[in-house]
Amino acid sequence: VNAVFVVELLVQLVLFRFDFLWDRQLGRVKPFNLLDMFIVVVCSVDLYLLPVLLSGTGGQQVDLKILRLLRLLRLTRALRVLRVMTAFSKLRILLNSVANSFMSLFWAMILVGLFVYGSAVFLCQMLQPSVVDDSLPVDLRQWIFRHYGSGTRSFWTMFEITFSGGWPNYARRLIEEVHWSYTWFFASYVWIVVFAVTRIVTA
């Protein structure tokens, strides 16, 4: 099968030459053609060149660095799946759409990440006095510290609130056992970020 891919690649390079990799109209590299070439070259090295190199060692011990390289190249056999996938026109269109929308998705992720980070910092700072408040039950203080006691803990909690759908599990104890005013924060966050922003991004 790899031999067919090699012949196909050579034919396309002969026919299209530089245009096989470069889109003159858009002025950029053709990503899928570049991926095709990379996969064919790597698989050809794994199938044809590496056996020759290994047979030339004469049974001597192979350097560990070379063994790691060999294992890495053998893992690239999984790339053949991508090579076959790009051969189907409808699947290629879908992959092309995903690639073209990647920057929009990236900035959407940045926007959601800023909401998550800002909310995590806010809750972490607001709940620090509650962690050391002796008037609160010990189990509640431990629960607050476990979920909001540091920046990383609070960030992970807000990440779960945003994407897991289980936000009441992280909000109800604060509202009922710490202070009712946290209702305003969680209601606003769920309305704006969990509901509005995520659905706009999804759309």
Side-chain angles (χ1 to χ4, degrees):
V1 178
N2 190 76
V4 176
F5 291 153
V6 172
V7 172
E8 179 195 7
L9 178 63
L10 293 176
V11 170
Q12 290 182 347
L13 288 175
V14 171
L15 293 178
F16 300 104
R17 297 184 181 181
F18 186 69
D19 291 336
F20 175 72
L21 295 175
W22 186 260
D23 192 329
R24 296 182 184 274
Q25 294 182 348
L26 299 179
R28 62 179 177 85
V29 174
K30 297 178 180 179
F32 287 104
N33 289 354
L34 185 63
L35 176 63
D36 287 347
M37 176 179 287
F38 174 76
I39 294 173
V40 171
V41 170
V42 171
C43 292
S44 298
V45 170
D46 180 33
L47 289 175
Y48 308 125
L49 183 60
L50 289 183
V52 175
L53 294 177
L54 290 177
S55 63
T57 59
Q60 298 177 359
Q61 186 176 2
V62 182
D63 190 6
L64 290 177
K65 293 182 179 180
I66 298 179
L67 285 177
R68 294 192 186 101
L69 178 61
L70 295 179
R71 291 173 182 172
L72 181 61
L73 287 175
R74 293 191 183 282
L75 287 176
T76 57
R77 290 182 178 181
L79 295 176
R80 294 177 185 173
V81 178
L82 296 177
R83 180 61 181 81
V84 175
M85 289 170 60
T86 56
F88 297 95
S89 59
K90 293 184 179 180
L91 189 57
R92 181 187 288 267
I93 293 173
L94 178 60
L95 293 175
N96 197 25
S97 300
V98 173
N100 290 333
S101 62
F102 179 77
M103 289 306 300
S104 299
L105 178 61
F106 172 77
W107 288 113
M109 292 168 61
I110 294 296
L111 176 62
V112 176
L114 289 175
F115 278 114
V116 173
Y117 175 76
S119 302
V121 172
F122 172 78
L123 283 180
C124 181
Q125 294 296 321
M126 292 295 295
L127 290 170
Q128 287 302 314
S130 301
V131 175
V132 296
D133 188 356
D134 294 333
S135 64
L136 295 176
V138 176
D139 66 315
L140 176 60
R141 291 160 57 189
Q142 292 176 345
W143 183 88
I144 294 173
F145 178 79
R146 185 166 63 253
H147 294 291
Y148 303 99
S150 65
T152 53
R153 292 173 185 266
S154 185
F155 182 85
W156 180 250
T157 300
M158 293 307 302
F159 182 86
E160 290 183 331
I161 288 174
T162 306
F163 297 105
S164 70
W167 65 267
N169 299 327
Y170 305 100
R172 187 169 296 278
R173 293 199 71 179
L174 296 180
I175 296 171
E176 295 180 349
E177 301 180 45
V178 179
H179 201 277
W180 64 268
S181 60
Y182 286 105
T183 304
W184 297 107
F185 170 81
F186 284 105
S188 301
Y189 187 85
V190 171
W191 284 339
I192 296 173
V193 181
V194 178
F195 178 75
V197 175
T198 53
R199 278 157 181 76
I200 291 173
V201 171
T202 303

